[in-house]
Amino acid sequence: MGILNRFLGLLKATCLLVALLAGPAVLAGPNADVGRDIYLYGRVASGAPLQARRDATTNMSGMGAACVNCHQRSGLGGREGRATIPPITGRYLFSQAEDADDTKGLPFVEGTRGDRMAYTDETLARVIREGVNSEGRQLSYLMPGFDLSDTDMTSLITYLKTLDKRRVPGVTSSTLHFATIVTPDADPIKRQGMLSVLNQFFADHNARPMVDAPRMITSSKTLYSKSMARVHRLWELHVWELTGPASTWQQQLEARLAREPVFAVVSGLGGKNWQPVHAFCERAALPCLLPNVELPVVAEGDFYSQYFSRGVLLEAGLMAHDLLPAASTQTIKTVTQVYRADDVGEAASQELAKLLQGQGITVKSSVLAADATGDALAQRVAASKDADALVFWLRTADLAALPATLGTTHQVYVSGLMGGLENAPLPAGWREQTHIAYPFDLPEARKVRVDFAQGWFMLRKIPVVSLQVQADTYLACGLISETINHMVDTFVRDYLVERFQTLLEHRAVTGYYPRLALATGQHFASKGGHLVRFAGASGSKLLSEHNWIVP
């Protein structure tokens, strides 16, 4: 018994020593939860809206007063016009210039003040309430004063101390780990094309000399000058191939992330269903940047998933723009949509029906079974002869199987994403009457931008098997590489998303898209597209029927 007591005493002392060596810990709990609500949603512990003021006449309330509006979700700040918003995470607030040596691990963040005293809980409460910093100086007009009780203030400060964790999954001193996710229903040819680009891009990055970048020179008044060396890290790609039904994907992804921690998901390829992947990334707080999907998830409150466009949902908007009375050259009273069950066309047809609802247009659906033959498709077309407009959410094999001639004066609309874009195999008798939803820039207009990717493919002997997917994957890799470079060594997942959004609109080479931009809270970088038709009975030349449309 005496031996056991001595052992327990030794174990207790050892645990105490470890705790002391580890330094003070900030535990998430009720206080941090309340602080999170204040910071992200402008809601104090009582449930009342947060109140803030800039002067006697300028007041803010609730979400409009939330700290996240300026300091970002990461707490690492950014820019507001010409003003630089400083980081307000615990390790920046409670450190000062002489503490910022290489062993402290304070990486470069734009806007960090290196010439002020470190904050204490008391001086931090003062700056939040009164706008007076740790040295007694009044901050600019941009920093309001917040009305917070002592309890709410403690909760907010507790939350700030939990931000900007030092140990980020998927980041080591020598390597950044990334994943790409492929669903089992993804097109195998597109999968081959995407992975060939990803593997080569990662190989190119890793082939660079492993030499740390020189330290950045800047004023000591704004930055921690000792902490701005960029370490050149290898990139490692983990390919997460999902199997089985979608109901099992969440469990598969959780197991892969536990086994192979990654910093972010880059690109990726989905088929009919991306929802489980999107939901997993949001729950895991894992950035998922620019996957190749036709049906992305629209969830305004989410943060970590960023897409090129709304895919077939954007196409529905392009069609609605043309079908609605203000734009249509003829009166459209009835629309019949044809799609196969268990494909993305079902969601796209629902989106178009919603957009046309209440506009005096009757919308009907004609659903083909997943295994229906070309004869069944011909029957559906024949049965729709009384409709003013036909909309096909169909793949290339179905378009090629359409009857040789339409035989009526229907207006016809086709999904470009599903139907092959300018290579859509429409029968000659359909081409003059068919409008193709085209959520990209026109081929001639984008030629120079896409040539960058094609030249890269050619030099590296990458077979082009799906140009649009491969060009988008190359663009995604380049954008993420530029973002990582601008982050220097500040590897925080939320900050990755924020920097990615900030830098995106400055990108000159944008591949298939005329412009890309992501404001805070947005998830779709390209907002518009064209309605096009073929220029003749053969060939792939397209004519745009409108200027660039943003539905």
Side-chain angles (χ1 to χ4, degrees):
M1 192 70 177
I3 295 175
L4 178 60
N5 287 337
R6 285 197 298 271
F7 172 77
L8 291 174
L10 178 61
L11 180 61
K12 187 175 180 180
T14 302
C15 292
L16 178 60
L17 178 60
V18 169
L20 291 172
L21 290 174
V26 179
L27 301 177
N31 280 355
D33 291 342
V34 171
R36 183 176 185 272
D37 281 353
I38 294 170
Y39 187 93
L40 293 179
Y41 309 115
R43 185 172 59 239
V44 299
S46 66
L50 174 66
Q51 302 296 324
R53 66 199 179 283
R54 282 208 167 97
D55 54 36
T57 60
T58 307
N59 297 309
M60 295 169 289
S61 177
M63 191 63 211
C67 314
V68 69
N69 292 320
C70 291
H71 293 282
Q72 303 284 345
R73 188 185 184 103
S74 67
L76 294 172
R79 284 192 172 274
E80 188 77 22
R82 294 185 178 181
T84 301
I85 309 299
I88 57 169
T89 65
R91 62 172 171 162
Y92 287 91
L93 288 171
F94 298 104
S95 298
Q96 57 194 52
E98 54 266 30
D99 294 331
D101 56 44
D102 291 340
T103 61
K104 294 285 184 180
L106 280 172
F108 162 70
V109 173
E110 185 180 21
T112 301
R113 300 296 301 183
D115 61 340
R116 59 143 176 82
M117 293 174 57
Y119 279 96
T120 63
D121 285 6
E122 291 73 22
T123 57
L124 183 55
R126 181 179 67 183
V127 76
I128 293 171
R129 286 190 174 115
E130 304 172 22
V132 176
N133 76 1
S134 59
E135 297 176 324
R137 297 174 187 168
Q138 188 71 43
L139 298 183
S140 78
Y141 173 83
L142 288 175
M143 177 63 185
F146 294 88
D147 294 332
L148 285 171
S149 68
D150 289 346
T151 302
D152 285 335
M153 181 65 74
T154 299
S155 297
L156 177 58
I157 293 173
T158 300
Y159 178 69
L160 295 179
K161 291 177 181 179
T162 69
L163 292 174
D164 190 12
K165 299 177 178 63
R166 293 171 185 252
R167 294 186 179 181
V168 181
V171 180
T172 72
S173 59
S174 62
T175 307
L176 287 178
H177 294 264
F178 297 92
T180 196
I181 300 172
V182 183
T183 63
D185 58 348
D187 185 308
I189 294 175
K190 292 179 179 179
R191 173 192 173 279
Q192 172 194 341
M194 180 194 73
L195 290 179
S196 66
V197 173
L198 283 171
N199 286 327
Q200 187 62 58
F201 197 98
F202 275 59
D204 282 4
H205 174 88
N206 293 339
R208 298 171 193 165
M210 289 290 289
V211 177
D212 294 347
R215 295 182 186 278
M216 303 170 70
I217 306 299
T218 188
S219 165
S220 63
K221 291 185 178 181
T222 56
L223 305 168
Y224 289 110
S225 59
K226 291 183 179 181
S227 63
M228 290 181 290
R230 180 185 292 116
V231 176
H232 182 84
R233 288 172 169 83
L234 294 171
W235 286 13
E236 184 170 340
L237 179 66
H238 302 268
V239 181
W240 293 353
E241 302 256 14
L242 300 176
T243 60
S247 60
T248 67
W249 295 356
Q250 169 77 19
Q251 186 176 5
Q252 291 179 51
L253 289 167
E254 288 174 350
R256 293 299 294 262
L257 184 60
R259 188 164 66 248
E260 301 169 351
V262 297
F263 182 48
V265 175
V266 52
S267 192
L269 184 65
K272 302 166 188 174
N273 185 8
W274 191 253
Q275 167 64 37
V277 179
H278 177 105
F280 162 76
C281 291
E282 293 299 321
R283 281 193 291 268
L286 180 64
C288 181
L289 304 179
L290 304 180
N292 297 289
V293 290
E294 295 171 340
L295 179 60
V297 177
V298 179
E300 296 302 324
D302 289 347
F303 177 77
Y304 294 97
S305 297
Q306 309 291 318
Y307 300 95
F308 277 114
S309 80
R310 295 174 72 241
V312 293
L313 304 179
L314 171 58
E315 290 186 329
L318 298 173
M319 293 179 189
H321 178 274
D322 201 58
L323 286 165
L324 290 173
S328 180
T329 57
Q330 56 182 292
T331 303
I332 302 295
K333 291 295 186 182
T334 58
V335 174
T336 296
Q337 302 190 83
V338 182
Y339 60 88
R340 281 193 180 269
D342 196 30
D343 202 350
V344 299
E346 182 174 1
S349 69
Q350 292 170 356
E351 177 74 3
L352 180 56
K354 182 178 70 175
L355 293 172
L356 298 180
Q357 187 177 10
Q359 301 295 324
I361 299 174
T362 300
V363 182
K364 299 178 181 179
S365 295
S366 182
V367 186
L368 286 166
D371 58 353
T373 64
D375 290 340
L377 175 58
Q379 293 171 8
R380 299 304 172 89
V381 173
S384 303
K385 62 182 180 180
D386 294 330
D388 297 318
L390 280 174
V391 178
F392 291 112
W393 301 102
L394 297 173
R395 303 285 175 185
T396 54
D398 283 329
L399 296 184
L402 287 169
T405 58
L406 181 55
T408 68
T409 57
H410 288 304
Q411 287 201 67
V412 180
Y413 296 83
V414 170
S415 164
L417 279 172
M418 298 179 68
L421 300 173
E422 59 269 23
N423 297 312
L426 285 168
W430 291 72
R431 289 166 66 96
E432 287 186 9
Q433 293 172 247
T434 299
H435 313 271
I436 302 174
Y438 201 85
F440 303 106
D441 208 355
L442 297 175
E444 289 302 313
R446 69 177 185 244
K447 186 176 187 304
V448 173
R449 299 193 304 271
V450 176
D451 278 349
F452 278 87
Q454 289 184 297
W456 189 84
F457 301 154
M458 182 179 66
L459 288 173
R460 287 153 181 81
K461 297 181 171 56
I462 295 175
V464 177
V465 296
S466 179
L467 179 58
Q468 180 257 312
V469 166
Q470 288 175 280
D472 277 4
T473 302
Y474 175 72
L475 177 57
C477 289
L479 289 166
I480 292 166
S481 179
E482 290 177 14
T483 303
I484 294 292
N485 286 339
H486 278 84
M487 292 172 68
V488 192
D489 289 328
T490 311
F491 294 112
V492 176
R493 285 173 171 173
D494 290 5
Y495 189 51
L496 171 66
V497 175
E498 293 159 5
R499 293 299 294 168
F500 181 83
Q501 292 174 333
T502 300
L503 293 168
L504 186 64
E505 64 180 312
H506 302 293
R507 174 80 178 201
V509 180
T510 51
Y512 268 63
Y513 310 91
R515 63 190 66 85
L516 296 170
L518 282 167
T520 300
Q522 292 184 345
H523 303 282
F524 305 103
S526 180
K527 314 299 193 290
H530 292 273
L531 275 175
V532 300
R533 59 183 174 84
F534 285 114
S538 62
S540 60
K541 183 175 176 57
L542 299 176
L543 298 176
S544 179
E545 300 178 354
H546 302 274
N547 293 325
W548 182 257
I549 302 168
V550 179

